[in-house]
Amino acid sequence: MITFTIRLADLNIGIEARYDSTRRFTQAYMTDGCPDFCISVSDSDLESERRHQNDQCRRCGEPSVRYSDEYYEILAVYRHIADRIPAYNTILFHGSAVAVDGEAYLFTASSGTGKSTHTRLWRELLGDRAMMINDDKPLLKCTEGGIFACGTPWDGKHRLSTNMIVPVKAICALERGRENRITRMPFADIYPVLLRQTYRPTDREMLFRTLSCLDRMKDTVAFWQLACNMDAEAARVSYTAMKEDQS
Amino acid sequence: MKLKGDFILHETDGKTIMLNVDGKAYNGLIQLNGTAADMVRLLQKGTTKEDLIRDMLYLYDVSEEQLTIDADKLLSALKTIDVIDEDD
């Protein structure tokens, strides 16, 4: 077994893994610090990830694919982290998170809707001012003082992430549309989307903690709904509205 | 009569939501008003429809007829998503 510690969302996480590929995958987040908590991966965890992947393929109507145990271990490590980390007021969120001028903007939607495409348009619009925090599954640290988007190496197929922690200004639910239109949303209306896109631990206490984290978003994050196409104009519409919003 | 599976109730933004802990009984989000939330708390422990209405009469100053209407509405909705075990 290989043991190492990584630092995510201001927490040191000890990992006991079978494959060095897992250690290399998390290299950019390695730390010498003492772990706040530790996780290890078992055979049944790998089998469980294989089943999850097959279930996902079945739901999408795609043929199931057999990946390597090395890949399943990488998935299993993040699932273990996601299961434990609500104890530290941190949750796993499905979205593409981009930082601009020190503020994070998250775009969330079902897979394939165009989150990554949209944050790519932001990068094309804003150049070096836009940095990807995490293109797929950032951690969100939910404090009383605000919500912070945290980079992690589990950053999607384009491998876009930065080891950074940035306060979240806005979360935007994205859907495809012919015309680009953005609308400010009250927390109550966006809540079902937030819940759907947040990892839900199967432990009761951790699930309560997860819901409490979502509640903390209400007073510090602005929520939006964006219908958009893939034109550059879509980024101008969303950026202008979300950046200028001062409420 | 009891809920199938382990559910939690959580108050957020003035509403109560009901979630299945492991997602196996039901994977969605159920939003409840105050009366429905109290009925669900009784269903979590297991009850009959008659006991449910009797217990709710202690909590709410409304007619038995109104509570019966509310209970029927809730039970019908919960049966639609198959989260009520009527044999328990």
Side-chain angles (χ1 to χ4, degrees):
Chain A
M1 300 297 270
I2 301 157
T3 55
F4 54 94
T5 303
I6 62 173
R7 188 166 177 81
L8 300 178
D10 287 338
L11 292 166
N12 293 340
I13 302 167
I15 297 174
E16 189 178 68
R18 288 142 191 269
Y19 300 108
D20 196 56
S21 46
T22 302
R23 187 190 58 78
R24 290 196 308 272
F25 180 83
T26 58
Q27 186 82 42
Y29 293 78
M30 220 57 96
T31 182
D32 293 330
C34 287
D36 292 293
F37 66 92
C38 297
I39 59 143
S40 66
V41 180
S42 65
D43 282 338
S44 63
D45 291 331
L46 303 189
E47 177 55 29
S48 180
E49 287 306 324
R50 192 187 64 76
R51 279 200 306 273
H52 274 296
Q53 287 292 304
N54 285 343
D55 288 346
Q56 213 162 321
C57 289
R58 210 166 18 248
R59 276 197 295 272
C60 299
E62 290 166 9
S64 42
V65 178
R66 181 71 161 95
Y67 294 101
S68 65
D69 281 355
E70 285 86 338
Y71 176 67
Y72 289 134
E73 179 171 92
I74 287 169
L75 297 180
V77 165
Y78 209 31
R79 190 179 301 278
H80 272 299
I81 291 171
D83 280 332
R84 300 274 300 270
I85 212 164
Y88 301 88
N89 297 318
T90 304
I91 58 178
L92 174 63
F93 190 75
H94 180 213
S96 184
V98 57
V100 178
D101 301 336
E103 293 177 310
Y105 301 82
L106 274 62
F107 293 90
T108 189
S110 305
S111 296
T113 305
K115 303 182 291 296
S116 297
T117 299
H118 195 72
T119 49
R120 178 176 55 77
L121 291 174
W122 272 47
R123 296 199 305 280
E124 288 170 5
L125 175 70
L126 299 165
D128 291 342
R129 285 171 61 206
M131 285 189 73
M132 289 305 299
I133 303 168
N134 184 297
D135 194 33
D136 184 33
K137 290 183 179 68
L139 292 176
L140 299 184
K141 192 175 165 68
C142 304
T143 73
E144 283 181 8
I147 310 299
F148 296 81
C150 310
T152 82
W154 288 269
D155 53 12
K157 62 184 176 206
H158 304 296
R159 304 304 320 272
L160 294 170
S161 64
T162 310
N163 190 348
M164 63 194 316
I165 297 177
V166 183
V168 176
K169 181 177 170 77
I171 296 177
C172 181
L174 195 144
E175 60 186 23
R176 289 189 189 180
R178 229 164 25 129
E179 305 295 324
N180 297 307
R181 193 177 65 192
I182 191 164
T183 313
R184 184 73 188 266
M185 298 287 281
F187 179 71
D189 291 359
I190 205 91
Y191 189 83
V193 173
L194 294 179
L195 190 57
R196 202 158 47 241
Q197 300 298 340
T198 298
Y199 178 82
R200 277 155 54 175
T202 53
D203 174 84
R204 244 176 171 264
E205 176 60 29
M206 293 300 106
L207 182 54
F208 270 122
R209 295 274 190 138
T210 298
L211 297 178
S212 296
C213 283
L214 288 178
D215 291 342
R216 282 187 171 173
M217 293 185 180
K218 178 171 177 262
D219 295 326
T220 59
V221 176
F223 300 100
W224 301 84
Q225 182 144 45
L226 172 69
C228 67
N229 52 40
M230 292 193 290
D231 293 344
E233 181 62 21
R236 268 191 289 277
V237 166
S238 61
Y239 176 69
T240 303
M242 293 161 81
K243 175 70 178 173
E244 293 306 312
D245 176 63
Q246 294 298 325
S247 51
Chain B
M1 189 168 57
K2 204 175 173 182
L3 286 179
K4 285 188 203 175
D6 186 13
F7 283 83
I8 61 167
L9 296 181
H10 177 75
E11 287 194 27
T12 181
D13 204 33
K15 295 191 180 90
T16 303
I17 63 159
M18 178 177 163
L19 275 181
N20 182 220
V21 176
D22 61 12
K24 287 178 183 162
Y26 184 65
N27 203 26
L29 166 68
I30 303 164
Q31 295 196 30
L32 305 170
N33 62 25
T35 312
D38 282 326
M39 289 190 188
V40 165
R41 287 187 187 98
L42 292 166
L43 283 165
Q44 281 178 306
K45 297 176 199 167
T47 186
T48 63
K49 184 176 157 185
E50 293 69 32
D51 286 348
L52 178 74
I53 292 167
R54 187 200 62 208
D55 289 338
M56 287 296 288
L57 280 169
Y58 282 115
L59 296 174
Y60 287 87
D61 186 21
V62 296
S63 68
E64 186 173 340
E65 188 187 356
Q66 183 58 52
L67 278 173
T68 305
I69 292 169
D70 292 342
D72 284 339
K73 199 169 152 191
L74 174 68
L75 291 172
S76 171
L78 294 178
K79 281 176 196 168
T80 302
I81 55 173
D82 195 26
V83 296
I84 286 280
D85 191 342
E86 293 194 83
D87 296 329
D88 207 329

